Amino acid sequence: MTSPLPSSPPASVLDLAPVVPVVVVTDAADAVPLVRALVAGGLPAIEVTLRTPAASAAIRAIAAEVPDAVVGAGTVLTPAQVTESVAAGARFLVSPGWTDVLLEAMQASGVPFLPGVSTTSEVVTLLERGVREMKFFPAQAAGGTAYLKSLAGPLPQARFCPTGGIGPGVAPEYLALPNVGCVGGSWMLPADAIAARDWARVESLAREAAALRPRG
Protein backbone atom coordinates (compact mmCIF):
# COMPACT_ATOMS: atom_id res chain seq x y z
CA MET A 1 0.00 0.00 0.00
CA THR A 2 1.26 3.47 -0.86
CA SER A 3 1.81 5.71 2.17
CA PRO A 4 -0.45 8.76 2.31
CA LEU A 5 1.04 12.15 1.69
CA PRO A 6 2.20 13.84 4.89
CA SER A 7 -0.42 16.58 4.58
CA SER A 8 -3.37 14.26 4.01
CA PRO A 9 -5.24 12.16 6.56
CA PRO A 10 -5.01 8.39 6.06
CA ALA A 11 -7.95 6.71 4.35
CA SER A 12 -7.96 4.13 7.16
CA VAL A 13 -5.74 3.95 10.21
CA LEU A 14 -6.44 0.22 10.38
CA ASP A 15 -4.58 -0.46 7.15
CA LEU A 16 -1.32 1.42 7.76
CA ALA A 17 0.48 -1.26 9.78
CA PRO A 18 -0.39 -4.34 11.84
CA VAL A 19 0.54 -2.56 15.09
CA VAL A 20 -0.12 1.01 16.23
CA PRO A 21 2.35 1.95 18.98
CA VAL A 22 0.62 3.62 21.92
CA VAL A 23 3.10 6.25 23.05
CA VAL A 24 3.09 8.10 26.37
CA VAL A 25 5.50 11.04 26.06
CA THR A 26 6.76 12.61 29.28
CA ASP A 27 9.54 14.64 27.63
CA ALA A 28 8.62 16.27 24.32
CA ALA A 29 12.30 16.28 23.35
CA ASP A 30 12.15 12.48 23.07
CA ALA A 31 9.18 12.44 20.71
CA VAL A 32 10.97 12.94 17.39
CA PRO A 33 13.83 10.42 17.83
CA LEU A 34 11.44 7.88 19.37
CA VAL A 35 9.00 8.13 16.46
CA ARG A 36 11.79 8.06 13.90
CA ALA A 37 12.85 4.73 15.42
CA LEU A 38 9.30 3.36 15.23
CA VAL A 39 8.88 4.45 11.61
CA ALA A 40 12.28 2.99 10.66
CA GLY A 41 11.09 -0.29 12.17
CA GLY A 42 8.01 -0.32 9.96
CA LEU A 43 5.35 1.21 12.22
CA PRO A 44 4.28 4.54 10.67
CA ALA A 45 0.97 5.04 12.54
CA ILE A 46 1.72 6.46 15.99
CA GLU A 47 -0.83 7.12 18.72
CA VAL A 48 0.40 9.74 21.20
CA THR A 49 -1.85 9.61 24.24
CA LEU A 50 -3.07 12.82 25.84
CA ARG A 51 -2.13 11.55 29.29
CA THR A 52 0.77 13.93 29.87
CA PRO A 53 1.33 17.69 29.63
CA ALA A 54 3.93 17.03 26.91
CA ALA A 55 1.50 15.30 24.53
CA SER A 56 0.42 18.26 22.40
CA ALA A 57 3.97 19.53 21.99
CA ALA A 58 5.04 16.01 21.05
CA ILE A 59 2.33 15.73 18.38
CA ARG A 60 3.30 19.12 16.98
CA ALA A 61 6.99 18.16 16.81
CA ILE A 62 6.31 14.79 15.19
CA ALA A 63 3.99 16.33 12.60
CA ALA A 64 6.60 18.93 11.72
CA GLU A 65 9.75 16.82 11.77
CA VAL A 66 8.83 13.22 10.91
CA PRO A 67 7.00 13.39 7.57
CA ASP A 68 6.87 9.60 7.18
CA ALA A 69 4.90 9.24 10.42
CA VAL A 70 1.11 9.33 10.61
CA VAL A 71 0.73 10.79 14.09
CA GLY A 72 -2.55 10.60 15.97
CA ALA A 73 -3.88 11.59 19.36
CA GLY A 74 -5.11 8.98 21.81
CA THR A 75 -7.11 9.08 25.05
CA VAL A 76 -9.21 11.84 23.48
CA LEU A 77 -12.03 12.57 25.91
CA THR A 78 -13.46 16.01 25.09
CA PRO A 79 -14.32 18.19 22.08
CA ALA A 80 -11.66 20.65 23.25
CA GLN A 81 -9.04 17.89 22.99
CA VAL A 82 -10.27 17.07 19.49
CA THR A 83 -9.74 20.68 18.41
CA GLU A 84 -6.38 20.99 20.15
CA SER A 85 -5.08 17.72 18.73
CA VAL A 86 -6.01 18.47 15.13
CA ALA A 87 -4.50 21.96 15.46
CA ALA A 88 -1.27 20.36 16.70
CA GLY A 89 -1.12 18.14 13.61
CA ALA A 90 -2.87 14.92 14.65
CA ARG A 91 -4.01 13.01 11.56
CA PHE A 92 -6.29 10.63 13.42
CA LEU A 93 -8.02 10.46 16.81
CA VAL A 94 -8.55 7.58 19.24
CA SER A 95 -10.82 7.51 22.28
CA PRO A 96 -11.19 4.84 24.98
CA GLY A 97 -14.97 5.30 24.81
CA TRP A 98 -17.43 7.78 23.38
CA THR A 99 -20.41 9.99 24.11
CA ASP A 100 -22.74 11.75 21.69
CA VAL A 101 -20.91 15.04 22.22
CA LEU A 102 -17.46 13.52 21.70
CA LEU A 103 -18.57 11.54 18.65
CA GLU A 104 -20.00 14.67 17.00
CA ALA A 105 -16.74 16.51 17.60
CA MET A 106 -14.68 13.68 16.14
CA GLN A 107 -16.97 13.41 13.11
CA ALA A 108 -16.60 17.15 12.50
CA SER A 109 -12.80 17.10 12.91
CA GLY A 110 -11.99 16.21 9.31
CA VAL A 111 -9.65 13.37 10.31
CA PRO A 112 -10.27 9.63 10.79
CA PHE A 113 -11.15 8.50 14.29
CA LEU A 114 -11.52 5.29 16.28
CA PRO A 115 -14.11 5.55 19.06
CA GLY A 116 -13.68 2.99 21.81
CA VAL A 117 -16.21 0.20 22.33
CA SER A 118 -16.44 -2.86 24.56
CA THR A 119 -20.04 -4.05 24.07
CA THR A 120 -22.17 -5.24 21.17
CA SER A 121 -24.71 -2.48 21.77
CA GLU A 122 -22.04 0.17 21.40
CA VAL A 123 -20.92 -1.37 18.12
CA VAL A 124 -24.48 -1.49 16.76
CA THR A 125 -25.10 2.12 17.82
CA LEU A 126 -21.98 3.32 16.02
CA LEU A 127 -22.87 1.34 12.91
CA GLU A 128 -26.27 3.09 12.90
CA ARG A 129 -24.36 6.38 12.83
CA GLY A 130 -22.16 5.37 9.93
CA VAL A 131 -19.05 4.53 11.95
CA ARG A 132 -17.50 1.22 10.91
CA GLU A 133 -13.97 1.44 12.35
CA MET A 134 -13.56 1.32 16.12
CA LYS A 135 -11.15 0.72 18.94
CA PHE A 136 -11.95 -2.37 21.04
CA PHE A 137 -10.90 -1.50 24.60
CA PRO A 138 -9.87 -2.88 27.01
CA ALA A 139 -9.34 -5.78 24.64
CA GLN A 140 -8.07 -8.55 26.88
CA ALA A 141 -10.30 -7.64 29.83
CA ALA A 142 -13.39 -7.21 27.64
CA GLY A 143 -13.32 -10.68 26.11
CA GLY A 144 -10.29 -10.79 23.86
CA THR A 145 -10.20 -12.68 20.59
CA ALA A 146 -13.17 -14.88 21.50
CA TYR A 147 -15.41 -11.83 21.84
CA LEU A 148 -14.29 -10.27 18.57
CA LYS A 149 -14.66 -13.60 16.77
CA SER A 150 -18.25 -13.77 18.02
CA LEU A 151 -18.96 -10.28 16.64
CA ALA A 152 -17.64 -11.09 13.15
CA GLY A 153 -20.68 -13.22 12.27
CA PRO A 154 -23.58 -10.85 12.99
CA LEU A 155 -21.61 -7.60 12.51
CA PRO A 156 -19.07 -8.26 9.71
CA GLN A 157 -19.10 -4.61 8.63
CA ALA A 158 -17.44 -3.48 11.87
CA ARG A 159 -13.62 -3.40 11.95
CA PHE A 160 -11.49 -3.01 15.03
CA CYS A 161 -8.18 -1.97 16.49
CA PRO A 162 -8.04 -3.93 19.76
CA THR A 163 -5.97 -2.24 22.48
CA GLY A 164 -5.42 -3.01 26.13
CA GLY A 165 -3.30 -5.82 27.53
CA ILE A 166 -2.03 -6.92 24.12
CA GLY A 167 1.58 -8.04 23.71
CA PRO A 168 3.57 -9.88 21.06
CA GLY A 169 2.35 -13.25 22.34
CA VAL A 170 -1.33 -12.65 21.61
CA ALA A 171 -1.15 -10.00 18.88
CA PRO A 172 -1.00 -12.57 16.02
CA GLU A 173 -4.22 -14.17 17.31
CA TYR A 174 -6.01 -10.83 17.02
CA LEU A 175 -4.47 -10.04 13.64
CA ALA A 176 -5.70 -13.35 12.25
CA LEU A 177 -9.34 -12.32 12.80
CA PRO A 178 -11.21 -11.02 9.74
CA ASN A 179 -12.61 -8.00 11.61
CA VAL A 180 -9.27 -6.80 13.03
CA GLY A 181 -7.23 -4.38 10.96
CA CYS A 182 -4.48 -3.72 13.48
CA VAL A 183 -3.76 -3.84 17.20
CA GLY A 184 -2.52 -1.16 19.56
CA GLY A 185 0.19 -1.71 22.14
CA SER A 186 3.25 -0.35 23.85
CA TRP A 187 5.48 -3.41 24.25
CA MET A 188 7.95 -2.04 21.69
CA LEU A 189 8.52 0.92 24.03
CA PRO A 190 9.98 -0.60 27.21
CA ALA A 191 10.51 1.94 29.98
CA ASP A 192 14.22 1.18 30.36
CA ALA A 193 14.86 1.71 26.64
CA ILE A 194 13.03 5.04 26.71
CA ALA A 195 14.89 6.15 29.84
CA ALA A 196 18.21 5.25 28.20
CA ARG A 197 17.13 6.77 24.88
CA ASP A 198 18.05 3.47 23.28
CA TRP A 199 16.34 4.19 19.98
CA ALA A 200 18.11 1.31 18.24
CA ARG A 201 16.37 -1.12 20.58
CA VAL A 202 13.02 0.59 19.95
CA GLU A 203 13.57 0.26 16.21
CA SER A 204 14.43 -3.43 16.57
CA LEU A 205 11.30 -4.13 18.63
CA ALA A 206 9.20 -2.14 16.16
CA ARG A 207 10.55 -4.23 13.29
CA GLU A 208 9.55 -7.41 15.14
CA ALA A 209 6.07 -5.98 15.76
CA ALA A 210 5.65 -5.01 12.11
CA ALA A 211 6.26 -8.64 11.14
CA LEU A 212 3.57 -10.08 13.45
CA ARG A 213 0.71 -10.25 10.96
CA PRO A 214 0.23 -13.87 9.87
CA ARG A 215 1.07 -14.52 6.22
CA GLY A 216 -1.20 -16.27 3.83
mmCIF file of all heavy atoms in Angstrom, residues 154-180:
data_model
loop_
_atom_site.group_PDB
_atom_site.id
_atom_site.type_symbol
_atom_site.label_atom_id
_atom_site.label_comp_id
_atom_site.label_asym_id
_atom_site.label_seq_id
_atom_site.Cartn_x
_atom_site.Cartn_y
_atom_site.Cartn_z
ATOM 1 N N PRO A 154 -22.421 -11.731 13.149
ATOM 2 C CA PRO A 154 -23.578 -10.847 12.990
ATOM 3 C C PRO A 154 -23.234 -9.426 12.558
ATOM 4 O O PRO A 154 -24.086 -8.722 12.018
ATOM 5 C CB PRO A 154 -24.198 -10.837 14.393
ATOM 6 C CG PRO A 154 -23.050 -11.104 15.311
ATOM 7 C CD PRO A 154 -22.168 -12.062 14.565
ATOM 8 N N LEU A 155 -21.991 -8.995 12.794
ATOM 9 C CA LEU A 155 -21.608 -7.604 12.507
ATOM 10 C C LEU A 155 -20.313 -7.554 11.683
ATOM 11 O O LEU A 155 -19.317 -6.957 12.093
ATOM 12 C CB LEU A 155 -21.421 -6.831 13.816
ATOM 13 C CG LEU A 155 -22.638 -6.786 14.748
ATOM 14 C CD1 LEU A 155 -22.261 -6.195 16.091
ATOM 15 C CD2 LEU A 155 -23.778 -6.003 14.097
ATOM 16 N N PRO A 156 -20.320 -8.177 10.487
ATOM 17 C CA PRO A 156 -19.072 -8.258 9.712
ATOM 18 C C PRO A 156 -18.599 -6.910 9.188
ATOM 19 O O PRO A 156 -17.432 -6.761 8.812
ATOM 20 C CB PRO A 156 -19.449 -9.187 8.552
ATOM 21 C CG PRO A 156 -20.923 -8.995 8.387
ATOM 22 C CD PRO A 156 -21.450 -8.808 9.781
ATOM 23 N N GLN A 157 -19.489 -5.914 9.160
ATOM 24 C CA GLN A 157 -19.100 -4.606 8.627
ATOM 25 C C GLN A 157 -18.271 -3.790 9.618
ATOM 26 O O GLN A 157 -17.666 -2.786 9.236
ATOM 27 C CB GLN A 157 -20.345 -3.818 8.204
ATOM 28 C CG GLN A 157 -21.307 -3.430 9.318
ATOM 29 C CD GLN A 157 -22.355 -4.496 9.589
ATOM 30 O OE1 GLN A 157 -22.040 -5.663 9.795
ATOM 31 N NE2 GLN A 157 -23.626 -4.069 9.591
ATOM 32 N N ALA A 158 -18.232 -4.194 10.865
ATOM 33 C CA ALA A 158 -17.442 -3.478 11.871
ATOM 34 C C ALA A 158 -16.001 -3.993 11.871
ATOM 35 O O ALA A 158 -15.761 -5.202 11.841
ATOM 36 C CB ALA A 158 -18.054 -3.657 13.254
ATOM 37 N N ARG A 159 -15.042 -3.049 11.893
ATOM 38 C CA ARG A 159 -13.621 -3.402 11.952
ATOM 39 C C ARG A 159 -13.001 -2.749 13.183
ATOM 40 O O ARG A 159 -13.403 -1.650 13.587
ATOM 41 C CB ARG A 159 -12.881 -2.942 10.696
ATOM 42 C CG ARG A 159 -13.376 -3.589 9.422
ATOM 43 C CD ARG A 159 -12.566 -3.084 8.233
ATOM 44 N NE ARG A 159 -11.195 -3.585 8.255
ATOM 45 C CZ ARG A 159 -10.137 -2.886 7.873
ATOM 46 N NH1 ARG A 159 -10.251 -1.624 7.476
ATOM 47 N NH2 ARG A 159 -8.932 -3.420 7.892
ATOM 48 N N PHE A 160 -12.001 -3.424 13.733
ATOM 49 C CA PHE A 160 -11.493 -3.007 15.035
ATOM 50 C C PHE A 160 -9.976 -2.883 15.094
ATOM 51 O O PHE A 160 -9.246 -3.576 14.371
ATOM 52 C CB PHE A 160 -11.932 -4.016 16.105
ATOM 53 C CG PHE A 160 -13.410 -4.181 16.213
ATOM 54 C CD1 PHE A 160 -14.062 -5.195 15.524
ATOM 55 C CD2 PHE A 160 -14.171 -3.317 16.987
ATOM 56 C CE1 PHE A 160 -15.433 -5.357 15.608
ATOM 57 C CE2 PHE A 160 -15.547 -3.468 17.076
ATOM 58 C CZ PHE A 160 -16.179 -4.492 16.392
ATOM 59 N N CYS A 161 -9.553 -2.005 16.014
ATOM 60 C CA CYS A 161 -8.176 -1.967 16.493
ATOM 61 C C CYS A 161 -8.233 -2.300 17.978
ATOM 62 O O CYS A 161 -8.506 -1.425 18.804
ATOM 63 C CB CYS A 161 -7.554 -0.584 16.289
ATOM 64 S SG CYS A 161 -5.906 -0.411 17.045
ATOM 65 N N PRO A 162 -8.027 -3.567 18.348
ATOM 66 C CA PRO A 162 -8.040 -3.932 19.765
ATOM 67 C C PRO A 162 -6.820 -3.349 20.485
ATOM 68 O O PRO A 162 -5.698 -3.393 19.967
ATOM 69 C CB PRO A 162 -7.982 -5.458 19.745
ATOM 70 C CG PRO A 162 -8.286 -5.856 18.337
ATOM 71 C CD PRO A 162 -7.843 -4.732 17.485
ATOM 72 N N THR A 163 -7.036 -2.817 21.669
ATOM 73 C CA THR A 163 -5.969 -2.238 22.475
ATOM 74 C C THR A 163 -6.280 -2.509 23.940
ATOM 75 O O THR A 163 -7.428 -2.460 24.347
ATOM 76 C CB THR A 163 -5.879 -0.710 22.256
ATOM 77 O OG1 THR A 163 -5.739 -0.441 20.873
ATOM 78 C CG2 THR A 163 -4.700 -0.114 22.991
ATOM 79 N N GLY A 164 -5.234 -2.791 24.698
ATOM 80 C CA GLY A 164 -5.420 -3.011 26.126
ATOM 81 C C GLY A 164 -5.011 -4.418 26.527
ATOM 82 O O GLY A 164 -5.738 -5.373 26.290
ATOM 83 N N GLY A 165 -3.798 -4.525 27.082
ATOM 84 C CA GLY A 165 -3.304 -5.820 27.529
ATOM 85 C C GLY A 165 -2.735 -6.689 26.428
ATOM 86 O O GLY A 165 -2.483 -7.884 26.641
ATOM 87 N N ILE A 166 -2.521 -6.133 25.250
ATOM 88 C CA ILE A 166 -2.026 -6.920 24.116
ATOM 89 C C ILE A 166 -0.505 -6.819 24.031
ATOM 90 O O ILE A 166 0.075 -5.736 24.111
ATOM 91 C CB ILE A 166 -2.656 -6.437 22.801
ATOM 92 C CG1 ILE A 166 -4.160 -6.670 22.838
ATOM 93 C CG2 ILE A 166 -2.033 -7.148 21.603
ATOM 94 C CD1 ILE A 166 -4.902 -6.150 21.626
ATOM 95 N N GLY A 167 0.132 -7.965 23.885
ATOM 96 C CA GLY A 167 1.578 -8.038 23.710
ATOM 97 C C GLY A 167 1.902 -8.897 22.509
ATOM 98 O O GLY A 167 1.001 -9.384 21.806
ATOM 99 N N PRO A 168 3.180 -9.122 22.250
ATOM 100 C CA PRO A 168 3.570 -9.879 21.065
ATOM 101 C C PRO A 168 3.089 -11.329 21.074
ATOM 102 O O PRO A 168 2.955 -11.945 20.023
ATOM 103 C CB PRO A 168 5.097 -9.789 21.067
ATOM 104 C CG PRO A 168 5.469 -9.510 22.488
ATOM 105 C CD PRO A 168 4.353 -8.667 23.028
ATOM 106 N N GLY A 169 2.808 -11.866 22.262
ATOM 107 C CA GLY A 169 2.355 -13.253 22.335
ATOM 108 C C GLY A 169 0.954 -13.461 21.798
ATOM 109 O O GLY A 169 0.664 -14.483 21.166
ATOM 110 N N VAL A 170 0.063 -12.488 22.041
ATOM 111 C CA VAL A 170 -1.329 -12.654 21.613
ATOM 112 C C VAL A 170 -1.681 -11.821 20.378
ATOM 113 O O VAL A 170 -2.716 -12.062 19.748
ATOM 114 C CB VAL A 170 -2.316 -12.299 22.753
ATOM 115 C CG1 VAL A 170 -2.125 -13.232 23.932
ATOM 116 C CG2 VAL A 170 -2.169 -10.848 23.175
ATOM 117 N N ALA A 171 -0.841 -10.871 20.024
ATOM 118 C CA ALA A 171 -1.149 -10.002 18.884
ATOM 119 C C ALA A 171 -1.456 -10.787 17.607
ATOM 120 O O ALA A 171 -2.427 -10.448 16.898
ATOM 121 C CB ALA A 171 -0.011 -9.014 18.645
ATOM 122 N N PRO A 172 -0.689 -11.835 17.253
ATOM 123 C CA PRO A 172 -1.004 -12.571 16.022
ATOM 124 C C PRO A 172 -2.392 -13.204 16.037
ATOM 125 O O PRO A 172 -3.025 -13.334 14.982
ATOM 126 C CB PRO A 172 0.094 -13.635 15.948
ATOM 127 C CG PRO A 172 1.244 -13.038 16.719
ATOM 128 C CD PRO A 172 0.592 -12.302 17.840
ATOM 129 N N GLU A 173 -2.888 -13.582 17.218
ATOM 130 C CA GLU A 173 -4.224 -14.169 17.306
ATOM 131 C C GLU A 173 -5.286 -13.129 16.945
ATOM 132 O O GLU A 173 -6.280 -13.449 16.277
ATOM 133 C CB GLU A 173 -4.471 -14.705 18.720
ATOM 134 C CG GLU A 173 -3.522 -15.823 19.137
ATOM 135 C CD GLU A 173 -3.712 -16.220 20.585
ATOM 136 O OE1 GLU A 173 -4.814 -15.966 21.133
ATOM 137 O OE2 GLU A 173 -2.785 -16.779 21.184
ATOM 138 N N TYR A 174 -5.093 -11.906 17.394
ATOM 139 C CA TYR A 174 -6.013 -10.833 17.019
ATOM 140 C C TYR A 174 -5.911 -10.529 15.525
ATOM 141 O O TYR A 174 -6.927 -10.381 14.831
ATOM 142 C CB TYR A 174 -5.695 -9.561 17.803
ATOM 143 C CG TYR A 174 -6.201 -9.545 19.224
ATOM 144 C CD1 TYR A 174 -5.372 -9.909 20.279
ATOM 145 C CD2 TYR A 174 -7.501 -9.153 19.518
ATOM 146 C CE1 TYR A 174 -5.825 -9.887 21.588
ATOM 147 C CE2 TYR A 174 -7.964 -9.121 20.823
ATOM 148 C CZ TYR A 174 -7.125 -9.490 21.859
ATOM 149 O OH TYR A 174 -7.582 -9.471 23.162
ATOM 150 N N LEU A 175 -4.683 -10.432 15.032
ATOM 151 C CA LEU A 175 -4.469 -10.040 13.642
ATOM 152 C C LEU A 175 -4.976 -11.079 12.652
ATOM 153 O O LEU A 175 -5.209 -10.767 11.485
ATOM 154 C CB LEU A 175 -2.983 -9.765 13.404
ATOM 155 C CG LEU A 175 -2.426 -8.542 14.152
ATOM 156 C CD1 LEU A 175 -0.912 -8.513 14.079
ATOM 157 C CD2 LEU A 175 -3.022 -7.256 13.585
ATOM 158 N N ALA A 176 -5.163 -12.304 13.117
ATOM 159 C CA ALA A 176 -5.697 -13.354 12.245
ATOM 160 C C ALA A 176 -7.209 -13.260 12.071
ATOM 161 O O ALA A 176 -7.770 -13.905 11.187
ATOM 162 C CB ALA A 176 -5.327 -14.729 12.808
ATOM 163 N N LEU A 177 -7.888 -12.438 12.887
ATOM 164 C CA LEU A 177 -9.338 -12.323 12.801
ATOM 165 C C LEU A 177 -9.734 -11.446 11.613
ATOM 166 O O LEU A 177 -9.081 -10.438 11.330
ATOM 167 C CB LEU A 177 -9.894 -11.721 14.094
ATOM 168 C CG LEU A 177 -9.675 -12.540 15.373
ATOM 169 C CD1 LEU A 177 -10.210 -11.770 16.577
ATOM 170 C CD2 LEU A 177 -10.349 -13.901 15.266
ATOM 171 N N PRO A 178 -10.819 -11.781 10.930
ATOM 172 C CA PRO A 178 -11.212 -11.017 9.737
ATOM 173 C C PRO A 178 -11.673 -9.599 10.038
ATOM 174 O O PRO A 178 -11.651 -8.744 9.153
ATOM 175 C CB PRO A 178 -12.349 -11.850 9.150
ATOM 176 C CG PRO A 178 -12.912 -12.605 10.322
ATOM 177 C CD PRO A 178 -11.727 -12.921 11.181
ATOM 178 N N ASN A 179 -12.102 -9.332 11.275
ATOM 179 C CA ASN A 179 -12.614 -7.999 11.607
ATOM 180 C C ASN A 179 -11.594 -7.151 12.369
ATOM 181 O O ASN A 179 -11.950 -6.111 12.932
ATOM 182 C CB ASN A 179 -13.919 -8.096 12.401
ATOM 183 C CG ASN A 179 -13.803 -8.953 13.660
ATOM 184 O OD1 ASN A 179 -12.793 -9.611 13.871
ATOM 185 N ND2 ASN A 179 -14.849 -8.940 14.480
ATOM 186 N N VAL A 180 -10.344 -7.572 12.372
ATOM 187 C CA VAL A 180 -9.273 -6.801 13.030
ATOM 188 C C VAL A 180 -8.312 -6.289 11.971
ATOM 189 O O VAL A 180 -7.740 -7.070 11.204
ATOM 190 C CB VAL A 180 -8.527 -7.660 14.066
ATOM 191 C CG1 VAL A 180 -7.266 -6.942 14.561
ATOM 192 C CG2 VAL A 180 -9.442 -7.974 15.240
#
